[in-house]
Amino acid sequence: MKNKIITSVLVLCLLAALLLPSAQADGPVYFTAIDEQVLPLSDETMPYFFNSRIYLPYTAFTDNGIGIQALRSDTRLLLYRSVTKSLTFNTEDNTVFDQDGKQYFISARIVNGTIYVPAETVTSFFGLGLSYIDASPAPVVRLTTASATFNDRTFVSIRRDQMQLYYDTYMGVVGPSPSPSSPSEKPTYEAVRIQVGFFDLDAGRIEALLEILDASRYKFCFFADVAEITENPDLIRRIAGSGHSLGIHLMEGGYDEYATASALLFEAAKIKTLLVTASEDVSEAAKQMAQDNDLIYWLPTINYGTNAAMTSTGVSAKLSTTAGVREKVLLPCADNTADILQPFLVYMFENQYTLVRTTEVTAGAY
């Protein structure tokens, strides 16, 4: 994922900030977020606006797994990722220098004893993303790293309930939320490994799926048959260009069919693949053919046919919650696949399933 400052969004943020005082219990409330994590609201975690610029407590960069460390004295703050990448803030003379002695003409601020640093300067220097999200119940200043899974819109949708709880707690509407060690903590299923594939690659529906997947870091496998590769080579290139895997979907199960599809795939996208799957009615023949020709047959554990009734809750409910289980989910590109895909991705993320990209190596391990 390319991390960059989203200038147009920040301009809106900074214009809005002209009218807003610093974040305090009796003033406007703002969330700080790191990737998909929302920080609990407190006066020590909220952004601060000064001269139309976003400032964040330096601990937002050092205490949340970003990989930046800090050394602090009464008047100096050193933020560093290595000896070759550092920023030194001097709050006494309001100077900022990097490791090479280059000066930055924007200083840190001390608010209620906490050192706040200019968010745009720090994120740009250390290669992080920064965005301002106009959300309910309060706007969000979000830092993103290469590990971010979702774009801002999806992030807000999956964290809305949590943000509301933090907001209500901060405003005194409800009591404090349970601690992370609470027995009521929701279980996670990171020990369940999942691969996801698509078939029946309808050209009119694939773009919507790819847009949703482009907004996340998840990579799936698209199984194309001879006709789909022949009729839509641009679509095949679009899938490959988005970083997804490609395999062959066999309609008859024979080697000649695979050889034809494989040659067409190479012509369209310069990709060779040993991955095959097949329609259920020819799956046994296709598996035997794959074994005889040193191909890799991808056998779904959850298989939705072309005309199967699908809902996001239905697909999610089929996933195992038993540690060590490996699931392969095969979905058609049906009319409602795009509608169920985002809730399905959110479900896997919220429950911390381990999604494994399908390749010749990983498919063979399943």
Side-chain angles (χ1 to χ4, degrees):
M1 168 182 174
K2 294 182 179 179
N3 294 303
K4 62 183 180 180
I5 306 301
I6 306 176
T7 305
S8 60
V9 177
L10 286 177
V11 167
L12 295 175
C13 161
L14 299 179
L15 289 174
L18 287 169
L19 305 175
L20 299 175
S22 61
Q24 301 295 332
D26 57 352
V29 174
Y30 306 91
F31 287 100
T32 300
I34 316 294
D35 289 338
E36 276 68 46
Q37 175 191 8
V38 181
L39 302 186
L41 284 174
S42 72
D43 294 340
E44 289 74 37
T45 64
M46 272 193 275
Y48 169 80
F49 292 94
F50 183 82
N51 286 347
S52 304
R53 294 183 181 272
I54 303 174
Y55 281 72
L56 287 169
Y58 78 90
T59 51
F61 296 95
T62 60
D63 294 352
N64 298 290
I66 291 178
I68 298 173
Q69 297 176 284
L71 292 174
R72 179 187 174 181
S73 66
D74 289 342
T75 60
R76 294 169 67 88
L77 171 69
L78 173 67
L79 295 181
Y80 65 97
R81 183 168 273 161
S82 67
V83 293
T84 60
K85 198 73 172 174
S86 65
L87 286 175
T88 300
F89 297 86
N90 189 319
T91 59
E92 190 171 41
D93 60 13
N94 293 325
T95 59
V96 184
F97 292 92
D98 67 14
Q99 72 284 339
D100 298 321
K102 176 183 176 182
Q103 184 170 3
Y104 294 76
F105 294 95
I106 181 172
S107 58
R109 298 282 167 177
I110 297 180
V111 180
N112 297 330
T114 298
I115 296 180
Y116 278 66
V117 293
E120 186 172 352
T121 299
V122 176
T123 53
S124 179
F125 183 80
F126 287 106
L128 305 171
L130 174 66
S131 54
Y132 179 92
I133 312 168
D134 186 11
S136 177
V140 184
V141 173
R142 186 187 185 204
L143 307 177
T144 51
T145 71
S147 299
T149 300
F150 296 112
N151 65 3
D152 289 343
R153 183 178 63 179
T154 305
F155 157 76
V156 168
S157 72
I158 67 176
R159 288 293 180 237
R160 183 170 288 111
D161 290 345
Q162 184 182 33
M163 289 163 57
Q164 188 66 58
L165 178 60
Y166 284 163
Y167 182 85
D168 290 345
T169 300
Y170 180 74
M171 301 301 289
V173 177
V174 298
S177 57
S179 67
S181 59
S182 170
S184 62
E185 181 179 318
K186 185 178 180 180
T188 60
Y189 307 112
E190 61 269 21
V192 181
R193 296 165 65 83
I194 298 173
Q195 292 182 348
V196 180
F198 290 115
F199 74 104
D200 192 19
L201 307 186
D202 182 277
R205 299 166 185 155
I206 285 290
E207 188 61 37
L209 300 181
L210 291 174
E211 287 181 3
I212 294 170
L213 292 173
D214 286 347
S216 78
R217 62 180 174 84
Y218 292 136
K219 303 299 179 185
F220 289 174
C221 186
F222 290 77
F223 291 93
D225 62 33
V226 171
E228 291 161 354
I229 303 172
T230 302
E231 295 168 5
N232 297 294
D234 289 342
L235 177 65
I236 298 301
R237 287 188 286 273
R238 165 78 167 91
I239 293 169
S242 297
H244 302 287
S245 303
L246 281 158
I248 306 299
H249 187 245
L250 301 172
M251 307 300 290
E252 299 173 0
Y255 181 78
D256 288 345
E257 181 185 11
Y258 163 77
T260 300
S262 181
L264 289 168
L265 181 60
F266 186 78
E267 181 181 347
K270 298 300 183 284
I271 289 175
K272 293 184 177 180
T273 183
L274 302 176
L275 284 171
V276 297
T277 193
S279 302
E280 287 188 274
D281 56 341
V282 298
S283 61
E284 290 302 319
K287 279 191 291 183
Q288 187 61 53
M289 182 278 293
Q291 182 178 340
D292 293 342
N293 292 279
D294 295 323
L295 303 177
I296 299 171
Y297 189 83
W298 194 80
L299 179 64
T301 58
I302 300 173
N303 190 354
Y304 281 86
T306 304
N307 299 314
M310 294 189 302
T311 65
S312 59
T313 53
V315 176
S316 301
K318 288 179 178 286
L319 296 180
S320 174
T321 57
T322 303
V325 170
R326 296 173 175 180
E327 298 277 24
K328 292 180 179 179
V329 184
L330 183 61
L331 303 171
C333 294
D335 288 336
N336 68 329
T337 305
D339 294 333
I340 74 166
L341 180 57
Q342 184 160 308
F344 179 58
L345 294 179
V346 169
Y347 178 85
M348 287 194 297
F349 174 79
E350 290 276 85
N351 291 278
Q352 298 183 28
Y353 286 93
T354 299
L355 187 71
V356 179
R357 184 170 181 241
T358 304
T359 65
E360 280 92 343
V361 174
T362 61
Y366 272 62

